[in-house]
Amino acid sequence: MEKNKKVILLGIDGGTFDLFLPWIEKGLLPHMKKIMREGTWGHLASTIPPTTPPAWSSCITGNNPGKHGIFDFRESPLLHPDRPLISSASIKGTKLWHILNHYGKKVAIFNVPITYPPEKVDGCMISGLMTPGKDSPCFYPEELKDRLLSAIGDYVPNIDIPGYDVEAVEDALAFLAEVFYIFEKRRDAFFYLMESEPWDFFMPVFILHDRIQHLFWKYIDESFPQYHTDKGKIIREKIIECYQAFDTMLGELEKRIEHKDIDLFIISDHGFGSTLQWFNVNKWLEDLGLLKIKPVDNIKKKLFFRAMLLSDSPLVRALIPSAVQRAIRKKVRQTRSTFKSDIDKAIDWNTTRAFFASIPCQGIFINVKRANGIGVVSPGQEYDDLRKFIKDKLLSLDDPITGKKLIDTVWYREEIYSGPVTRTAPDIIFVAQNYSTLGRQLLGAPNWLLSSQNAPNGFHRSNGVFIAKGNHIKTDSTITGSAITDIAPTVLYSFGLPIPSDMDGRYLQEIYREDHVKNNPVQYREPFDTAPGADRDVYSQEDIAKVQERLKGLGYLE
């Protein structure tokens, strides 16, 4: 164990080289370019699917979702039929900061998703995504909140996206201004904590890029007509200002850690790309006779869908005054159904054999018979036959516009996950056109495939970001084959600590200088006992409503 070693694991939620590299070539991100040149970099493979909850959980445990149990922002319907929101207690296994604390290392955990409520660590923790609001108990220790606010003036845990109609330029610019303000306060908090709190391991996560890309991808992707509009140019200029501010922060960080024995890792949980169309999976399952909606709910869902499609229509946007359009979009946002009202209340569970649960898990659940009396499909042959039937049907789908295959790959859950909670994952997971066609759960769709090109939305891709710089790390080097599960064991190796033998990830030997690897052979140890978590029942009804609205604004819930 290196006595004075420090490590910073800086997360860029949604960071992608698809944007960074072209902007680096244009000279827009000089500090990121310098760090990459003076270190090692490459793509970092995310989880399947590449969504925030499983990806960050895999990052901090070194394990696949079949071990840590996180597949979605909600608990699995196979584990909890009422699907409560996940919390820090939902992640199974030993987290990276538990291991570091075990070896006497102090940690500072800042804005990492799925850390609410914050854990009692040897160090400090400010929880990230899933924190309900500013007044939520998101600081550990509690007195850190007063010290931080006294130093930087304000701190905003989340941005309330549903409050903005980003289709209107004025709201889009106001949203970007708030994103920028929140980033500035996060940056100030990061540097304040770096200087004021004792730490050996610091893990901050910045959400700036993810929030922008979810709502404005088609204004920053040259292949879309929205990029070339006056509106696109105005919005893009502000977006680039945000990315350059983040780059400036990286430059300041480099100055602060210069000449110190600090390894800097910069990673993202996933990459990003455009959403071209929606695959309304429950409509498709309904057409196959595998899902049935209750009659009254069926009518309501169809009426809602018509209103939603009307708000997206180019003809409507051309003919109807903008004020009226905004009123329509506001009504749609207010009535957009959550998972619970869509699935729990509207589906006829006595006849439904399969259902698509949510956008984040991109998978289909079989309504298998369970001990509590829920379900209609018998385990065994009936279950196996139904899974094969659905898989074959998915793989046979063609895109009616392009004529190309719609579905790239279909897996049974045990083919990509391993571990004791694999049984709670979706029974079937698929990828449609590299996630540019996105499965969604909304009921009442008129067709199972609908274009989304009129909305400037983006979604995740597997290819995330990995950059490493430090005294023992190779310079001007690239890496291939790294994965999000490799981050935890690599951080442990940087500290000279043994890696638990039950971690799925590997330490990235190839990023370190050969002499360092030779003189510091990797060590392994037996697995840790599972660390105790917080109480699972942590959200009030008001908290649940706040978190759900925020997730809906990002397109995770509908």
Side-chain angles (χ1 to χ4, degrees), residues 209-247:
H209 307 77
D210 183 86
R211 301 304 182 264
I212 288 172
Q213 291 159 193
H214 266 295
L215 271 65
F216 300 115
W217 181 262
K218 290 174 185 173
Y219 298 128
I220 50 181
D221 184 334
E222 293 185 31
S223 66
F224 288 91
Q226 291 92 337
Y227 178 94
H228 305 281
T229 62
D230 290 340
K231 176 182 176 182
K233 182 180 179 182
I234 293 169
I235 291 173
R236 189 165 55 256
E237 287 176 353
K238 293 299 180 183
I239 289 171
I240 291 174
E241 286 180 16
C242 292
Y243 282 62
Q244 289 183 304
F246 182 85
D247 187 70

Side-chain angles (χ1 to χ4, degrees), residues 295-314:
V296 173
D297 289 284
N298 201 359
I299 295 171
K300 291 179 180 178
K301 299 303 178 188
K302 287 178 178 178
L303 289 173
F304 167 75
F305 230 109
R306 287 176 184 172
M308 192 173 70
L309 292 175
L310 184 66
S311 72
D312 288 339
S313 167

Side-chain angles (χ1 to χ4, degrees), residues 536-551:
R536 185 174 293 274
D537 196 12
V538 300
Y539 298 104
S540 67
Q541 288 303 309
E542 183 181 0
D543 289 343
I544 292 170
K546 289 179 181 177
V547 175
Q548 285 182 168
E549 283 301 306
R550 202 167 293 121
L551 295 175

Side-chain angles (χ1 to χ4, degrees), residues 26 87 135 241 304 362 370 381 399 426 462 464 502 546:
K26 293 179 180 179
S87 71
D135 297 327
E241 286 180 16
F304 167 75
Q362 287 297 292
R370 282 159 269 170
Q381 192 64 49
D399 188 321
S462 178
D502 62 339
K546 289 179 181 177

